Amino acid sequence: MRLRRKHKSPPVLSHEFIIQNHVDVVSCLVMSLLMGVVFEATTKNAIIFVAVQYNVTYTIDDSNEQFHFYDYGPKDIATIFFYMLIAINLHAVIQENILDKINRRLHLSKTKHSKFNESGQLAFFSLFSFIWGSSILNAEEFAMDLTSLWTEYPHCRMLFQVKFFYICQIAYWLHALPELYFQKIQKEDIPRQLCYICLYIIHISGAYILNFQRLGLILMVPHYLVEFIFHASRLFYFSDENKQKGIGCLATVCLTQAWMMWKFINFQLKKYREHVNNQIPKKKITNTKKKRTNQEPNRENCVNGAAKVEGEASPRIRKSKPV
C-alpha cells in the first residue's frame, strides 16, 4: 500500500500563504477590534473603528425632543477600514458556501468560472443594496419630495441610516481592490474590473463628501436594481447550456419595458383628457356670455323701455290725455 503524499503547506508570508489564509488573518483583526471595545483601557481607540462617529444632537426647547444627526470627518476612515474587513469575510462566506458548490456541479471553464464568481458576488450585493436603499428612501421620503434635493443645500447633517449606508458602500468597493489579488483574477480581466471599481469609489465618495447624499441615494437605488438584473441574467447564461433561462430573462425584461410604456401612455392620455374636459366648460361659458350680450340691448339706447334702432329716430313720448 502506497502512502498518499501530503500537500506541502506554502511558506509563511508567501503569496500562496496569504491567499489561502487571508480570511483567517482578517477575522483575527476583526475579533481583536471587537475585543478592544469590551475593555475600558482600549475602548476609546477601538470604538472609532466599530461605531459611527461625529454624532450631532439637536434639542427643541418647547417639546424637549432630541434629534440625532451625523456629520463626516477623518475618523470615518477607521470605520470604513473595519467594515472593509467585514466585507472580506462576507465575500469569503458567499464564495465558499454558495458559489463554489454551484461551480463544482456546473464544471465551468476558468474564464467562465471567474466571471460566474464575479456576477455571483455582485448580484448578492446589488440586491442587498437595492433593498436597503429602498427602505431608506421609503422611511425618509426623499423620492416623494424632489425639492428636498436642492432646498437648504448643503445638507451637512445626515441620519444614521444614510451615513451607515454610505460607509458600507465605500467599504465594500474598497474591499474589491484586494479581492482582485485574493481571488487570482486573470490579467485580462483586471483592467475592466479595476475601472468600474474605481468609478464606484469615486462617485460614492464624492456624493458623501460633497453633501449629495440624498441625490446619491435616489440614483443608486434604481442603478443597483439594474445591476442585479444584469448579473442574475449573466448567472443564468453561464449555468444554462441551452440558454433557456437567458431567453426567459430577456422576455421578462421586454415585458417590464412594455408594461412601463403602457403605463406611461395611459398616464399621458389621462392628462390629455383632463385638459380637454377642463377647457370645454370654459368655452361654453364664453359662448353663452356672448349670446346674452348680443341679445340684450344697451341701456343707453333704450328710452322708456323701448329700444332705439340704429339710423332711426327715437320713438315719441306719449303725452297723457287731460282728464
Side-chain angles (χ1 to χ4, degrees), residues 142-259:
F142 293 150
M144 300 301 294
D145 186 12
L146 294 178
T147 58
S148 62
L149 298 178
W150 57 83
T151 54
E152 298 180 359
Y153 180 83
H155 306 116
C156 301
R157 300 292 181 259
M158 293 174 284
L159 295 171
F160 173 78
Q161 291 183 353
V162 177
K163 177 163 184 174
F164 191 57
F165 178 81
Y166 272 92
I167 285 175
C168 292
Q169 289 290 319
I170 297 170
Y172 179 86
W173 291 111
L174 284 174
H175 110 280
L177 294 174
E179 286 294 340
L180 297 175
Y181 172 71
F182 295 148
Q183 298 296 324
K184 296 182 180 180
I185 303 300
Q186 296 179 358
K187 293 182 179 180
E188 307 110 22
D189 295 334
I190 288 177
R192 178 182 59 82
Q193 295 188 24
L194 192 63
C195 180
Y196 71 75
I197 289 169
C198 292
L199 286 174
Y200 273 108
I201 294 171
I202 292 169
H203 285 87
I204 296 173
S205 302
Y208 180 69
I209 295 170
L210 298 176
N211 298 318
F212 288 110
Q213 298 91 1
R214 299 179 182 180
L215 180 62
L217 265 172
I218 292 175
L219 294 177
M220 275 192 286
V221 168
H223 175 75
Y224 278 127
L225 177 61
V226 175
E227 285 288 314
F228 170 70
I229 295 171
F230 169 73
H231 290 292
S233 61
R234 201 178 180 196
L235 290 172
F236 289 139
Y237 174 78
F238 290 129
S239 62
D240 189 13
E241 295 180 355
N242 298 324
K243 308 297 182 294
Q244 294 178 357
K245 295 178 181 177
I247 294 168
C249 290
L250 180 62
T252 53
V253 170
C254 292
L255 288 173
T256 51
Q257 291 292 328
W259 177 76

Side-chain angles (χ1 to χ4, degrees), residues 40-98:
E40 293 182 0
T42 58
T43 301
K44 293 181 181 180
N45 296 324
I47 200 68
I48 299 172
F49 292 89
V50 179
V52 179
Q53 301 298 311
Y54 300 103
N55 184 11
V56 180
T57 305
Y58 292 97
T59 57
I60 299 174
D61 297 333
D62 298 334
S63 59
N64 293 326
E65 292 184 2
Q66 293 184 351
F67 297 93
H68 299 281
F69 294 94
Y70 290 85
D71 203 347
Y72 64 87
K75 291 182 181 179
D76 291 337
I77 298 172
T79 311
I80 290 170
F81 174 75
F82 175 76
Y83 287 99
M84 184 182 73
L85 299 178
I86 292 178
I88 292 173
N89 284 327
L90 293 175
H91 188 108
V93 169
I94 295 172
Q95 185 66 40
E96 293 177 2
N97 296 327
I98 299 174

Side-chain angles (χ1 to χ4, degrees), residues 274-289:
E274 290 177 355
H275 179 68
V276 171
N277 293 328
N278 291 331
Q279 285 186 345
I280 288 172
K282 292 180 181 180
K283 291 181 179 179
K284 289 182 178 179
I285 292 168
T286 54
N287 292 329
T288 53
K289 286 183 178 180

